[in-house]
Amino acid sequence: VGSNTGLLASEFGINQSLNAAGNGFLNTLAVFASEVYSPKFAVILTAVCMLLIWLFGKSRLDAVGFGATVAMGWLPAEAFKIMFNESRANVSSLVNQVMPQEVDSSFPSGHVCFALGFGFAVYFLARNSRFRVAALVFWIVSVLIEAWARLYVGAHYLSDEVGSIFTTTVGILVFSFLWNKWISQKLQSFKFFA
């Protein structure tokens, strides 16, 4: 997709349409969503959640599993960014310039990968509790807001966001297989995690 500039140019029309309908509230929401799930805050958010699970959860292993799930849903995006090396769209062509031009590779969206991975980890942790529905709603809403925000500010093409779903799904499926087959059993053998 990264080499098909015609397709990317037509995809950028989606960004331009969303952006042209913007206002102060939408600008603030898009910047907030982009910042909260940016790498610097994503790491802090994950670490704080892990600490809370570690201190107040049922198992220390849940805290490790939560952090590892988020990481394995998010970090494969970096490998795909290196493989595809897709240039970012030029945000100067947007009517409503909300954020400065980003210069790293565009495909896939690391922000959306994080939203997917974090939301999945929250849902998976809450799946057998009374918070299951709230966790599912949080997951869906946070992914939709993040995907919209990254399109709205012109940071990603729609194909970047669709690619994020694939990237995160593959990362989580591979990790889940390894976790269930080997990692969690090995960790449970340590008294510290029992």
Side-chain angles (χ1 to χ4, degrees):
V1 174
S3 61
N4 190 338
T5 55
L7 177 59
L8 292 178
S10 66
E11 279 188 53
F12 195 63
I14 297 168
N15 301 65
Q16 290 170 318
S17 295
L18 289 172
N19 182 271
N23 58 44
F25 172 75
L26 294 178
N27 291 355
T28 302
L29 179 61
V31 170
F32 177 76
S34 292
E35 283 297 313
V36 167
Y37 283 180
S38 69
K40 61 186 171 197
F41 290 118
V43 170
I44 293 168
L45 180 61
T46 303
V48 167
C49 288
M50 286 177 66
L51 180 62
L52 291 172
I53 296 165
W54 187 278
L55 295 174
F56 303 110
K58 295 178 184 175
S59 163
R60 292 177 175 160
L61 195 59
D62 287 344
V64 174
F66 178 88
T69 300
V70 173
M72 292 309 296
W74 180 32
L75 296 178
E78 294 308 311
F80 279 86
K81 284 181 181 283
I82 292 167
M83 284 191 308
F84 285 90
N85 197 26
E86 178 182 276
S87 297
R88 299 264 182 176
N90 185 355
V91 297
S92 66
S93 62
L94 294 174
V95 173
N96 180 22
Q97 292 184 25
V98 181
M99 295 183 71
Q101 180 74 45
E102 295 184 29
V103 295
D104 63 330
S105 296
S106 185
F107 182 87
S109 169
H111 286 72
V112 174
C113 285
F114 177 78
L116 287 161
F118 185 80
F120 175 80
V122 168
Y123 174 74
F124 194 75
L125 195 63
R127 74 191 182 283
N128 294 322
S129 76
R130 67 178 187 257
F131 302 109
R132 177 182 71 249
V133 173
L136 182 62
V137 169
F138 166 78
W139 183 17
I140 293 167
V141 170
S142 67
V143 168
L144 292 174
I145 289 173
E146 192 62 39
W148 165 84
R150 302 307 285 162
L151 291 171
Y152 179 85
V153 302
H156 288 286
Y157 300 102
L158 182 61
S159 59
D160 299 343
E161 311 224 341
V162 172
S164 299
I165 296 168
F166 170 77
T167 302
T168 301
T169 301
V170 168
I172 289 175
L173 286 175
V174 168
F175 172 72
S176 296
F177 173 78
L178 295 173
W179 179 264
N180 291 323
K181 238 0 182 180
W182 185 74
I183 298 170
S184 70
Q185 293 168 358
K186 290 289 184 187
L187 291 176
Q188 287 175 21
S189 68
F190 294 104
K191 190 174 184 178
F192 185 71
F193 289 110

